Amino acid sequence: MTKTLTARRRWVAVLAGGFCGTITRYLLSLLIQGWLGKGWPFDILLINLIGALLLACVTTLADATFLVGPTRRLFINVGFLGAYTTFSSLALGDVLLLAGQHWLPAILYLACSLFGGIGAVVLGDLLGRAILRAGKHAATPNAKKQEASQLGDKTVLPDHVDIDDDVLLPEYDRKGLL
């Protein structure tokens, strides 16, 4: 039996993740600005770098089907991290520096964001791989495909923690719980 995510489950996962990501970003931004001030967009830079690292790590784990199933992936990657990190904030921070004619800080901020983001993604991927090695879940892709094909579903694996995907919300039909 192939289990697919309903539209309602996908929407709720993204909305709930987005709400949590937005609140986390706001509170962390206030905290960072309190520590480092508002003269340079430290808060946006740090939040985006942390988000890039987490996105790469979670994606690596999700691709290996380790603790991150379809609903969790939507909640974390699309909802939470989508709201937590935003390109528009990065662009605004840089434009504000340029508008104040702070050329060197603007270029430095843009370079730190770009190269730091790439570095954070690489580190996040390495972290995800290290977690997989430590958890001994680094099976070969062919073995995973063979296990999946035995189930008749190429996306859901038998050893997947989130195979039923019931973590966030049970599904209901008109007659009750599915």
Side-chain angles (χ1 to χ4, degrees), residues 113-178:
S113 295
L114 178 64
F115 296 114
I118 292 169
V121 166
V122 170
L123 286 175
D125 183 58
L126 292 173
L127 177 63
R129 291 173 191 258
I131 292 169
L132 290 172
R133 279 192 303 275
K136 297 179 183 171
H137 285 280
T140 62
N142 289 337
K144 291 289 187 185
K145 285 180 185 174
Q146 186 177 19
E147 289 177 42
S149 66
Q150 289 172 357
L151 282 178
D153 183 349
K154 292 183 170 96
T155 58
V156 178
L157 303 177
D159 63 343
H160 197 290
V161 174
D162 200 17
I163 196 165
D164 288 334
D165 229 10
D166 60 356
V167 174
L168 292 176
L169 162 81
E171 290 298 330
Y172 293 91
D173 66 2
R174 290 184 180 165
K175 296 177 185 173
L177 190 62
L178 286 178

Side-chain angles (χ1 to χ4, degrees), residues 47-155:
I47 287 168
N48 284 337
L49 293 179
I50 291 166
L53 183 132
L54 291 174
L55 182 64
C57 183
V58 170
T59 299
T60 298
L61 295 175
D63 288 346
T65 67
F66 176 68
L67 298 178
V68 184
T71 301
R72 288 181 182 146
R73 189 173 192 161
L74 283 172
F75 177 87
I76 297 168
N77 284 8
V78 178
F80 184 86
L81 293 171
Y84 178 78
T85 63
T86 62
F87 180 77
S88 58
S89 293
L90 182 149
L92 177 63
D94 209 43
V95 166
L96 292 175
L97 286 170
L98 289 170
Q101 298 187 357
H102 299 99
W103 302 101
L104 185 58
I107 292 168
L108 180 64
Y109 171 63
L110 195 57
C112 286
S113 295
L114 178 64
F115 296 114
I118 292 169
V121 166
V122 170
L123 286 175
D125 183 58
L126 292 173
L127 177 63
R129 291 173 191 258
I131 292 169
L132 290 172
R133 279 192 303 275
K136 297 179 183 171
H137 285 280
T140 62
N142 289 337
K144 291 289 187 185
K145 285 180 185 174
Q146 186 177 19
E147 289 177 42
S149 66
Q150 289 172 357
L151 282 178
D153 183 349
K154 292 183 170 96
T155 58

Side-chain angles (χ1 to χ4, degrees), residues 7-19:
R8 182 172 151 258
R9 180 178 294 277
R10 289 190 303 262
W11 276 92
V12 169
V14 172
L15 288 171
F19 173 79

Side-chain angles (χ1 to χ4, degrees), residues 1-71:
M1 180 175 120
T2 301
K3 188 163 183 143
T4 59
L5 296 177
T6 63
R8 182 172 151 258
R9 180 178 294 277
R10 289 190 303 262
W11 276 92
V12 169
V14 172
L15 288 171
F19 173 79
C20 293
T22 301
I23 298 301
T24 302
R25 178 187 185 86
Y26 171 72
L27 294 174
L28 191 55
S29 182
L30 289 177
L31 184 67
I32 294 169
Q33 286 177 0
W35 285 342
L36 302 174
K38 296 181 181 183
W40 201 70
F42 289 108
D43 58 329
I44 298 168
L45 178 64
L46 291 173
I47 287 168
N48 284 337
L49 293 179
I50 291 166
L53 183 132
L54 291 174
L55 182 64
C57 183
V58 170
T59 299
T60 298
L61 295 175
D63 288 346
T65 67
F66 176 68
L67 298 178
V68 184
T71 301

